[in-house]
Amino acid sequence: MNFLAIDTTMDCIAIAISYGEKKITKLINEGKKRHNTILLSAIENLLTDNDIKLEDMDAFGVVVGPGSFTGIRVGVAVINAMSMALKKPIIGMTALELAKINYPDEDILSLIDCRYQNYYAAYFKGESVEYLALNQTELKDIPAKKVLIEKPDPNLLYLTMNKKISQKDFLKKAKPFYLKKSSAERENERKTSQK
């Protein structure tokens, strides 16, 4: 199955494309706080350089979170628009589940550092997964191999997309996945509670 998948949840952008026998992966490092201005041109350039048309895709994939609030929204909006325009299904993935593909038979705690000794986490135990927002102390109490994700990995994106396609884990529309409210929402709640 031909697909295009993106991860815009962190400072870098990961793109993975499967087209026939071709596997194309790219990590774009100049994305920090500029996803909305470079994502579409990066996708277009990658497709053009490989003589592929967007219409050739059978499915689209997007990492829905957790991570950068704005980055998540940009990625989800772009993939939803492509899916709607071309009437193709979507695969939604979390940034934390991408790491699991390297540890298929192990219990792991995949982590993203969200600053100030706080982490977004996914605890994979057997067949179950629990998504958590943890601090440094809580992190130490979980008895599993810890896997820190420092940047998107287009190869893991490619492999996870293939796995989810084989499981027929399709969506009509992707939705952002947040483990915490945005800083603006938290600030608004703080102001409201002080009234």
Side-chain angles (χ1 to χ4, degrees), residues 51-101:
D51 199 27
I52 301 170
K53 293 182 175 67
L54 195 61
E55 296 81 14
D56 295 334
M57 298 298 107
D58 299 311
F60 296 101
V62 63
V63 176
V64 296
S68 158
F69 184 82
T70 303
I72 292 167
R73 294 176 77 83
V74 168
V76 166
V78 164
I79 291 301
N80 279 338
M82 290 177 178
S83 168
M84 189 183 319
L86 297 173
K87 297 178 177 42
K88 302 292 171 82
I90 296 172
I91 296 285
M93 300 160 272
T94 69
L96 294 161
E97 78 179 283
L98 298 184
K100 180 64 174 154
I101 204 102

Side-chain angles (χ1 to χ4, degrees), residues 8-181:
T8 57
T9 60
M10 301 174 98
D11 289 345
C12 302
I13 296 171
I15 302 173
I17 298 172
S18 178
Y19 181 70
E21 298 300 312
K22 285 186 182 178
K23 172 188 173 182
I24 304 156
T25 58
K26 182 157 181 133
L27 184 66
I28 300 163
N29 289 312
E30 63 269 11
K32 189 172 184 178
K33 300 193 187 284
R34 296 183 52 231
H35 291 0
N36 61 333
T37 59
I38 68 170
L39 178 61
L40 288 173
S41 61
I43 292 170
E44 182 179 8
N45 291 340
L46 204 53
L47 291 171
T48 302
D49 290 348
N50 289 280
D51 199 27
I52 301 170
K53 293 182 175 67
L54 195 61
E55 296 81 14
D56 295 334
M57 298 298 107
D58 299 311
F60 296 101
V62 63
V63 176
V64 296
S68 158
F69 184 82
T70 303
I72 292 167
R73 294 176 77 83
V74 168
V76 166
V78 164
I79 291 301
N80 279 338
M82 290 177 178
S83 168
M84 189 183 319
L86 297 173
K87 297 178 177 42
K88 302 292 171 82
I90 296 172
I91 296 285
M93 300 160 272
T94 69
L96 294 161
E97 78 179 283
L98 298 184
K100 180 64 174 154
I101 204 102
N102 282 337
Y103 306 92
D105 302 318
E106 291 183 61
D107 293 348
I108 68 162
L109 185 69
S110 63
L111 303 163
I112 297 172
D113 187 342
C114 54
R115 299 185 303 179
Y116 311 111
Q117 297 187 335
N118 291 294
Y119 298 87
Y120 299 131
Y123 184 22
F124 293 92
K125 188 172 183 180
E127 295 297 312
S128 69
V129 61
E130 181 180 6
Y131 288 95
L132 308 159
L134 301 172
N135 62 38
Q136 188 73 35
T137 306
E138 294 166 325
L139 177 63
K140 292 176 184 174
D141 293 338
I142 298 178
K145 179 182 185 76
K146 278 117 180 137
V147 179
L148 181 64
I149 302 163
E150 297 185 50
K151 63 183 178 185
D153 184 326
N155 190 53
L156 295 181
L157 177 62
Y158 181 91
L159 294 171
T160 304
M161 183 73 178
N162 267 320
K163 179 182 177 186
K164 292 184 82 97
I165 285 172
S166 71
Q167 296 168 340
K168 301 188 181 342
D169 199 1
F170 295 110
L171 305 169
K172 288 187 178 179
K173 184 176 181 182
K175 294 180 183 170
F177 172 67
Y178 303 110
L179 282 173
K180 289 178 167 180
K181 294 180 180 177

